[in-house]
Amino acid sequence: YDMDASKFIQQMIIFLFSWHNVSSLAMQTIALILQNDNRIILNCTYNKEKEEAISQRNIKWQKQIGDEFKDIAVFSPPGGQQPFIEKKMQNFYNNRTELIGPNTSLAAVMIIKDPVCGDGGTYRCWIQYYSDSSIKEKTNQTVVEFDSKSREPNEFLLFHTKLEENQSLSLICSADVGSPRGYIQIWKYLENFKPELIYTSSSTTNNTGSCTETINITFTVTRDDNGAFFRCSSQNSLTRGQEASRKSPKITVLYGPDEPLIKLLPPKSEFFVGEPLTIQCRTVSNPPPVFTWRFQPHNKSEETLIKPSYDKSKLVFDSLKVTDFGTYICTGVNPNRSNAPNASAFIAVYVRNSGMKYMYHDCDQCSFINICQKDRGMTLCTLNTWVPIAMVFISLSTSLALINIILIWKRKTRQKRVETKKKVISQRSPSSNAIPEDTHGEYSSPRDLMEMREHSLLLTHHNEPDGYTTTQDVVQYAAVQKKPTKDQVSDENVYDSAWNSDNVFFKLRPETQGPHRSPEQQ
């Protein structure tokens, strides 16, 4: 019920008069929640007959805690002992409870000031009396319920805000969760991620404490939690979302450094003198790592410290030298993690001139012009001088073979041309025996050529009619070869002196032409 004090008194008077002429003990309990006055009034009113008797301390207000009712306040009949709070309940109810014992009216009143969540629940009035020569009990129950919104947590602590990876973070939150069914939630917030609920407390519905709920939890952090913050929210059925919440500061999670990763830019297996090179070292760490570089020259055991010019995570070479050939070691250190081990990685850089020995990890990386040799656990690739010589010899052999093939082809082509001429001659003469012997592609002298021409003429004239002097081809040919005078044909050869030396040219006269002219007459 919810009413003011005047209405409560009026109801009590009506209730007492309504029990007139009741034949046995009667009782009624009323719970009044005065939210304006911030009080709970529990009233137990009873009436008895003359033959009914109530002994001292046999009127009690009890509350259900768990499965049983426990005594809170003890009362006596009018004129008896003053009411008091049970010793076991004094810590919870003292200084905020007022008890009014029976006087002229038969009533036991308990007023609870500044009610808390634990004040809600089921109460009952218990009376033990004597009647009809026996001891009897009478009870009557009433329920106290009130609603109260949760409030912003009054305390939210983190121990600590800077942690190592995989350490446990302690979170303590205290808040007035209100009534009914109040509880606390803990949320984790990360940038660019949705809030994550990591804890929810149990409901305070049947607790005997106040509406203030306090939780103390631990949370194991990972490197992904770096920069996260937490929020403690007070919740009940009347609170929506995170209306009553408090935000924590951001946490810092220290981790790393992990094993570095080294890259060569450009990514090649070997470099030549004069080429540029950038060696880059990367690792994951919070805070960012501090890099140091060391260099171990090839085939040497001592190491030297290298100081990069501007970016400590890189070594930049504008123009490589042979002395840059060796192993480079990158070490990352986390300045805020004194107990964390340093992380190192190394890479070998191979710099060489043309023809110089250079080093690999295995023989598979040596080319076909190299000789693979093992030296101190490493592989050396040396230029094999016989390979270039063999390549030159193979090139020359191939060129000579190609020339021979071309010459053979030309000779066969020439032979085909001669055979073609022979076929033409054989088609003009029925006798093939008179054809001069094939020179098989050899050089023919002017004399041989004239004999062949003359013989062809004779064979042709033999079959021609009387009065035919010569063929036009031979006449023209002779005219070109000899320059005649008025009376005779000159013996002077225009192109070759061999024509005069053997006197192979003969005068073509009508009287000397005939079918019976033999080669000896020429």
Side-chain angles (χ1 to χ4, degrees), residues 445-468:
S445 66
R447 181 184 181 88
D448 295 337
L449 183 60
M450 289 300 300
E451 290 178 355
M452 181 180 70
R453 292 282 186 177
E454 185 179 14
H455 188 70
S456 174
L457 178 64
L458 292 175
L459 292 175
T460 304
H461 178 74
H462 179 75
N463 296 323
E464 291 178 348
D466 294 337
Y468 183 80

Side-chain angles (χ1 to χ4, degrees), residues 151-159 171-176 184-186 212-216 231-234 245-249:
R151 299 180 182 179
E152 179 182 329
N154 51 29
E155 185 179 53
F156 188 28
L157 303 176
L158 271 66
F159 300 96
L171 300 98
I172 300 176
C173 183
S174 179
D176 184 348
I184 285 178
Q185 288 183 332
I186 302 293
T212 300
E213 180 81 2
T214 301
I215 60 100
N216 186 350
R231 188 179 292 275
C232 175
S233 63
S234 177
S245 63
R246 179 175 290 232
K247 175 183 173 182
S248 75

Side-chain angles (χ1 to χ4, degrees), residues 63-90:
K63 183 180 180 183
Q64 184 177 5
I65 299 175
D67 296 332
E68 61 178 341
F69 284 88
K70 294 186 177 181
D71 298 338
I72 298 175
V74 179
F75 297 82
S76 297
Q81 186 178 356
Q82 291 295 319
F84 59 93
I85 300 295
E86 278 285 348
K87 186 175 182 179
K88 294 181 180 180
M89 297 295 182
Q90 288 179 0

Side-chain angles (χ1 to χ4, degrees), residues 6-7 12 29 36 41 97 104 157 161 290 308 324 422 502:
S6 60
K7 290 183 178 180
M12 291 298 99
T29 57
N36 293 335
I41 300 177
T97 303
T104 55
L157 303 176
T161 57
V290 176
D324 296 326
K422 290 170 64 178
D502 296 331

Side-chain angles (χ1 to χ4, degrees), residues 184-196:
I184 285 178
Q185 288 183 332
I186 302 293
W187 296 79
K188 182 182 75 173
Y189 287 77
L190 270 172
E191 188 176 358
N192 300 326
F193 289 91
K194 293 182 178 180
E196 178 184 355

Side-chain angles (χ1 to χ4, degrees), residues 46 96 110 154 169 295 322 332 379 440 464 472 482-483:
Y46 62 93
R96 68 185 191 94
M110 182 173 69
N154 51 29
L169 170 67
F295 174 63
V322 176
T379 300
H440 299 287
E464 291 178 348
Q472 186 177 358
K482 296 293 181 175
K483 181 186 269 187

Side-chain angles (χ1 to χ4, degrees), residues 8-205:
F8 171 69
I9 295 172
Q10 291 177 4
Q11 284 195 1
M12 291 298 99
I13 295 173
I14 295 172
F15 173 72
L16 292 175
F17 280 101
S18 67
W19 276 356
H20 184 64
N21 295 326
V22 177
S23 59
S24 63
L25 181 69
M27 61 183 301
Q28 183 177 0
T29 57
I30 299 176
L32 301 175
I33 302 174
L34 306 179
Q35 293 186 351
N36 293 335
D37 295 335
N38 200 20
R39 292 185 300 169
I40 298 174
I41 300 177
L42 297 172
N43 181 67
C44 177
T45 304
Y46 62 93
N47 192 12
K48 67 182 183 65
E49 297 297 327
K50 291 181 180 180
E51 65 276 8
E52 296 173 341
I54 300 175
S55 302
Q56 296 284 329
R57 300 189 299 273
N58 282 341
I59 303 173
K60 299 179 180 179
W61 270 108
Q62 300 174 330
K63 183 180 180 183
Q64 184 177 5
I65 299 175
D67 296 332
E68 61 178 341
F69 284 88
K70 294 186 177 181
D71 298 338
I72 298 175
V74 179
F75 297 82
S76 297
Q81 186 178 356
Q82 291 295 319
F84 59 93
I85 300 295
E86 278 285 348
K87 186 175 182 179
K88 294 181 180 180
M89 297 295 182
Q90 288 179 0
N91 290 336
F92 186 68
Y93 288 100
N94 269 352
N95 301 324
R96 68 185 191 94
T97 303
E98 180 182 356
L99 303 179
I100 302 175
N103 42 38
T104 55
S105 63
L106 303 178
V109 180
M110 182 173 69
I111 301 175
I112 303 174
K113 302 175 183 179
D114 299 323
V116 294
C117 290
D119 293 329
T122 302
Y123 293 83
R124 78 177 182 181
C125 181
W126 175 87
I127 298 177
Q128 187 181 72
Y129 64 98
Y130 180 81
S131 176
D132 297 332
S133 301
S134 63
I135 297 175
K136 298 180 181 180
E137 294 181 359
K138 191 117 181 182
T139 61
N140 201 338
Q141 295 183 4
T142 186
V143 177
V144 174
E145 291 183 352
F146 59 94
D147 296 334
S148 174
K149 284 189 175 182
S150 60
R151 299 180 182 179
E152 179 182 329
N154 51 29
E155 185 179 53
F156 188 28
L157 303 176
L158 271 66
F159 300 96
H160 299 274
T161 57
K162 183 178 289 187
L163 308 94
E164 294 276 347
E165 183 180 17
N166 299 322
Q167 276 190 336
S168 294
L169 170 67
S170 295
L171 300 98
I172 300 176
C173 183
S174 179
D176 184 348
V177 296
S179 178
R181 296 178 295 280
Y183 55 93
I184 285 178
Q185 288 183 332
I186 302 293
W187 296 79
K188 182 182 75 173
Y189 287 77
L190 270 172
E191 188 176 358
N192 300 326
F193 289 91
K194 293 182 178 180
E196 178 184 355
L197 178 63
I198 63 173
Y199 176 80
T200 299
S201 69
S202 58
S203 175
T204 59
T205 302

